[in-house]
């Protein structure tokens, strides 16, 4: 197993190196190089933005919005998903609205949010909240619905009450789905960030990308895209780490 793990890490490292080489080669093509700056130029821009403090300012602003919107989405999604799965009447009332709003891109809500909340931080967090909530509530709902009915029947035979079944059987069995919802919610938060920062932001990674594109600063645009991708990837890996630690009792297929 250890040899296999090292082999997988080596393959990942080779993949990253090949990606950087391909990026460099593409940047040397005249028609492409005007848009995609080479990695060394972007690395120099990273150093300049970091030294000036602009990158830190934009990064913390975006992190605040993403974490705020995501946290609110998770706090609301968990009870709504469990209530939908546990009570048919709640599902009948709530599910059509969730399915309706799930098909609407968050950027379409931007004008409504601006009119109702202005251009402050609450507007940006609200857009991210809607996007993350709709993604997570579906995932968690499916997890609760997929709980093995045999476990529930066995608990009833042993005399467990509904409250005990819910907290001792349903919640632990659906916990992996909650973590899957968290992963999807974090991805949705970052992909919605640029749309959220259209609501009059003067700082943030999305705002940095949009402002740089106006002046054709493609090195800054690429830098912003890479930073968002790296932070999103790091958060996803952290949730995967928690999943391995907290759901180790489950049988997991090793790949």
């Amino acid at each position: 197993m250890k040899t296999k793990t090292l082999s997988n890490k080596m393959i990942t490292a080779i993949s990253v190196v090949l990606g950087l080489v391909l990026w460099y080669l593409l940047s040397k093509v005249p028609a492409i190089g005007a848009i995609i700056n080479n990695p060394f130029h972007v690395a120099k821009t990273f150093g300049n933005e970091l030294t000036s403090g602009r990158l830190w300012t934009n990064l913390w602003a975006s992190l605040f919005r993403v974490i705020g919107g995501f946290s609110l989405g998770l706090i609301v999604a968990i009870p709504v998903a469990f209530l939908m799965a546990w009570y048919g009447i709640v599902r009948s009332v709530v599910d059509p609205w969730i399915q309706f709003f799930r098909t609407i891109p968050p950027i379409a809500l931007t004008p409504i949010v601006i009119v109702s909340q202005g251009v402050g931080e609450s507007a940006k967090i609200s857009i991210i909240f809607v996007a993350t909530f709709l993604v997570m509530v579906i995932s968690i709902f499916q997890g609760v619905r997929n709980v093995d009915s045999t476990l529930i029947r066995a608990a009833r035979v042993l005399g467990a009450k509904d409250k005990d079944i819910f907290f001792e059987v349903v919640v632990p069995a659906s916990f992996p789905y909650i973590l899957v919802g968290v992963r999807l919610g974090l991805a949705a938060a970052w992909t919605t960030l640029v749309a959220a920062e259209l609501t009059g932001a003067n700082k943030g990674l999305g705002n940095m990308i949009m402002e740089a594109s106006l002046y054709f600063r493609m090195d800054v645009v690429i830098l912003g895209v890479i930073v968002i991708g790296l932070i999103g990837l790091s958060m996803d890996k952290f949730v995967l780490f928690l999943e391995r630690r907290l759901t180790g009792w489950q049988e997991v297929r090793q790949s």
Side-chain angles (χ1 to χ4, degrees):
M1 183 64 66
K2 185 175 180 179
T3 303
K4 184 177 180 181
T5 302
L6 291 175
S7 176
N8 289 339
K9 290 181 178 179
M10 182 65 69
I11 292 172
T12 301
I14 293 173
S15 174
V16 172
V17 172
L18 289 176
L20 291 173
V21 171
L22 178 61
W23 176 9
Y24 178 79
L25 293 176
L26 286 174
S27 69
K28 290 302 179 181
V29 179
I32 300 177
I35 301 174
I36 301 179
N37 299 122
N38 69 66
F40 301 105
H41 188 185
V42 174
K44 182 179 179 181
T45 300
F46 171 75
N48 293 336
E49 293 293 314
L50 199 64
T51 303
S52 67
R54 289 189 297 267
L55 183 59
W56 287 115
T57 301
N58 291 320
L59 177 59
W60 290 123
S62 291
L63 275 175
F64 173 77
R65 293 159 187 160
V66 166
I67 294 175
F70 165 78
S71 300
L72 288 175
L74 182 62
I75 290 171
V76 177
I78 289 177
V80 170
F82 274 94
L83 288 173
M84 286 173 58
W86 203 246
Y87 300 106
I89 187 171
V90 176
R91 182 164 63 255
S92 299
V93 172
V94 177
D95 186 63
W97 293 104
I98 289 178
Q99 298 302 331
F100 172 77
F101 283 105
R102 195 164 65 95
T103 61
I104 300 175
I107 195 171
L109 302 176
T110 301
I112 300 175
V113 173
I114 291 176
V115 171
S116 61
Q117 299 187 34
V119 294
E121 292 298 321
S122 62
K124 301 165 185 59
I125 291 175
S126 295
I127 293 175
I128 296 175
F129 159 74
V130 171
T132 56
F133 166 76
L134 293 173
V135 169
M136 290 189 288
V137 73
I138 296 296
S139 176
I140 298 171
F141 165 74
Q142 290 298 332
V144 179
R145 293 285 290 174
N146 289 337
V147 173
D148 191 349
S149 59
T150 304
L151 297 175
I152 297 177
R153 288 197 298 269
R156 292 191 189 280
V157 170
L158 294 173
K161 298 179 180 179
D162 283 349
K163 181 185 71 172
D164 299 322
I165 293 173
F166 182 77
F167 287 105
E168 301 297 332
V169 177
V170 176
V171 172
S174 58
F175 188 69
Y177 291 89
I178 296 177
L179 292 178
V180 171
V182 168
R183 294 180 64 192
L184 294 174
L186 284 171
W190 283 108
T191 54
T192 312
L193 177 66
V194 176
E197 292 184 346
L198 284 173
T199 59
N202 56 10
K203 57 185 176 180
L205 293 174
N207 178 72
M208 181 181 80
I209 291 172
M210 290 183 289
E211 283 190 351
S213 66
L214 295 176
Y215 298 99
F216 207 70
R217 288 289 310 279
M218 300 311 296
D219 52 338
V220 178
V221 171
I222 294 173
L223 174 62
V225 171
I226 291 175
V227 170
I228 289 176
L230 288 176
I231 296 175
L233 178 62
S234 300
M235 287 184 169
D236 185 73
K237 292 296 184 183
F238 178 69
V239 176
L240 280 174
F241 169 76
L242 290 180
E243 183 178 3
R244 289 193 297 269
R245 295 296 298 270
L246 300 176
T247 61
W249 49 271
Q250 288 192 323
E251 291 184 4
V252 180
R253 178 181 176 272
Q254 298 294 333
S255 57

